[in-house]
Amino acid sequence: MPEKRKKLYEGKAKIVYETEERDKLILEFKDTATAFDGVKKAELEGKGALNNTISSLIFEILERHGVRTHFIRKLSDREMLVWRAERFLVEVVVRNVAAGSVVKRLGFKEGERFKKPLVEFFYKNDELHDPLVCETHIELMNLAPMEALPSMRETALKVNEVLSKLFSDKGIILVDFKLEFGKLPDGNVGIVDEISPDSMRLWDAETGEKLDKDRFRFDLGDLLEGYRKVLERIS
Ligand code: UDP
């Protein structure tokens, strides 16, 4: 069993620990829910375990489909063993249906389905509120290696195909999701961080009920009830 050593970093939703092996880290999922760059915050018992379980399940499915991720295995309720990665400073968002910032920014109507999936890059910076960036920004600001961008986009679209099907088979619409990437110890680029209802929008296909973090952002109902429904349906 890998052991937690030095605490490397504590974020809003996770704590990262070193282990006795240099290339492996332990992610501990916290019970904290945050929104609007941390302005809204709450402790919700069981959230960490739910996100770890959903994220582990999704990483396993992606790996089976040949998508490289930092996931090694789930260690316990709230802990995941992952490869250490040099994280890039961009967030990659894929959208199938308009919601959230794309509605505010470009005037799409919420719920409108795009003709094809929309891929966007954001600068990971809370102080600047994660602004949208183009490839030239990424290059000038050194946010990620330019040679990795085409494969990041391709991977994001592949993840979208796999997850859209996974969810639609269970009566859930994958509206949008966010991915983060980094360079893994073997030199390959892979997906890092988590993939959970904290980082996706998931709508019930029949009722339109929102099953993701928007429940917390906009007080739409018990957050964990939504996450539990997601887990029940995909496991
Ligand atoms: N997202 C995320 N982390 C962020 C920003 C966005 O996980 O820092 C996710 C968000 O939950 C949604 C998708 O990325 O599933 C698109 O988010 P959007 O750009 O619409 O921003 P938001 O409305 O969340 O501010």
Side-chain angles (χ1 to χ4, degrees):
M1 187 76 175
E3 262 176 52
K4 277 183 194 162
R5 296 274 166 91
K6 201 178 104 194
K7 185 177 183 174
L8 259 191
Y9 166 82
E10 175 158 3
K12 287 176 288 204
K14 292 185 291 298
I15 307 175
V16 184
Y17 293 94
E18 291 191 313
T19 66
E20 64 279 14
E21 285 183 77
R22 203 193 166 270
D23 283 347
K24 295 179 183 173
L25 303 175
I26 293 175
L27 300 187
E28 184 186 308
F29 287 70
K30 304 201 287 187
D31 280 340
T32 316
T34 68
F36 310 117
D37 299 320
V39 172
K40 183 168 177 172
K41 207 170 167 180
E43 287 302 304
L44 300 173
E45 202 189 323
K47 174 175 178 284
L50 272 166
N51 272 358
N52 186 27
T53 304
I54 295 170
S55 212
S56 295
L57 199 71
I58 289 178
F59 280 140
E60 276 164 18
I61 293 167
L62 291 178
E63 290 278 351
R64 261 188 266 136
H65 281 84
V67 176
R68 237 3 253 294
T69 77
H70 68 160
F71 180 76
I72 302 175
R73 66 193 157 91
K74 186 172 181 252
L75 290 177
S76 70
D77 269 5
R78 295 204 288 126
E79 293 165 317
M80 182 192 286
L81 187 66
V82 300
W83 296 108
R84 187 192 285 262
E86 288 166 43
R87 300 164 66 125
F88 305 155
L89 288 174
V90 290
E91 298 187 338
V92 182
V93 168
V94 181
R95 303 176 188 275
N96 299 304
V97 173
S101 69
V102 85
V103 170
K104 280 188 252 159
R105 198 170 1 100
L106 297 172
F108 285 103
K109 259 192 31 220
E110 182 173 273
E112 195 178 322
R113 186 167 272 278
F114 296 117
K115 264 199 297 209
K116 59 184 227 178
L118 173 60
V119 182
E120 296 174 330
F121 294 94
F122 293 87
Y123 174 23
K124 205 174 147 53
N125 182 319
D126 272 353
E127 250 169 67
L128 298 175
H129 311 293
D130 296 352
L132 182 76
V133 288
C134 71
E135 293 197 9
T136 315
H137 292 121
I138 296 175
E139 182 173 15
L140 289 178
M141 297 164 74
N142 250 321
L143 303 183
M146 289 313 277
E147 65 277 12
L149 290 188
S151 77
M152 283 161 63
R153 179 187 292 274
E154 223 173 90
T155 302
L157 288 169
K158 165 98 191 215
V159 170
N160 187 43
E161 264 175 42
V162 173
L163 296 189
S164 289
K165 166 130 191 16
L166 169 77
F167 287 114
S168 78
D169 285 349
K170 309 291 176 184
I172 296 174
I173 300 167
L174 176 60
V175 172
D176 59 31
F177 61 93
K178 180 263 303 176
L179 297 177
E180 294 186 30
F181 289 85
K183 197 168 174 192
L184 301 172
D186 65 4
N188 286 307
V189 171
I191 298 172
V192 302
D193 199 53
E194 69 184 283
I195 306 181
S196 74
D198 268 11
S199 58
M200 295 185 269
R201 284 196 172 90
L202 299 167
W203 295 353
D204 186 291
E206 292 251 301
T207 64
E209 185 189 7
K210 295 179 177 174
L211 303 171
D212 53 74
K213 199 164 98 170
D214 275 350
R215 295 169 81 91
F216 177 71
R217 289 192 185 98
F218 306 113
D219 301 310
L220 303 176
D222 183 351
L223 180 74
L224 299 191
E225 192 189 306
Y227 288 24
R228 268 183 232 112
K229 282 185 189 169
V230 171
L231 178 58
E232 265 164 35
R233 292 210 211 161
I234 63 171
S235 50

